[in-house]
Amino acid sequence: MTLKIISSEKVEFSGEVDLVNLPGELGAFTVLKNHAAIISSLTAGVIEYDVQGERTSLEVKGGIVDVDNNVVSVCIY
């Protein structure tokens, strides 16, 4: 699955991941391969993603996520 995290300044991350944990407006949730399409707003918190078993964390103030066809697009602020 492809993850793209962008801010107004730069592309924070773009690449293949195994999973993504996101701080959703209604609670944290995890996106895995073949996840149903979803659009959600994000609150302040931490985005975590696994690349070949190695977990990376990115603290965010909020944003929006779109999941569709194994592409997770996150716009953060």
Side-chain angles (χ1 to χ4, degrees):
M1 151 176 84
T2 302
L3 172 63
K4 299 175 186 176
I5 304 175
I6 61 168
S7 68
S8 60
E9 292 89 30
K10 64 180 181 173
V11 175
E12 301 287 339
F13 177 83
S14 181
E16 293 297 310
V17 299
D18 301 317
L19 68 84
V20 183
N21 292 320
L22 299 154
E25 190 77 31
L26 298 176
F29 64 98
T30 300
V31 176
L32 300 170
K33 187 176 180 181
N34 297 321
H35 194 284
I38 185 173
I39 296 175
S40 177
S41 55
L42 303 176
T43 61
V46 177
I47 295 174
E48 297 178 323
Y49 53 93
D50 286 4
V51 178
Q52 296 179 344
E54 187 174 324
R55 181 149 301 185
T56 302
S57 300
L58 176 65
E59 193 162 329
V60 298
K61 295 178 184 172
I64 189 165
V65 60
D66 174 55
V67 179
D68 193 32
N69 291 326
N70 287 318
V71 177
V72 181
S73 302
V74 183
C75 182
I76 59 172
Y77 49 86

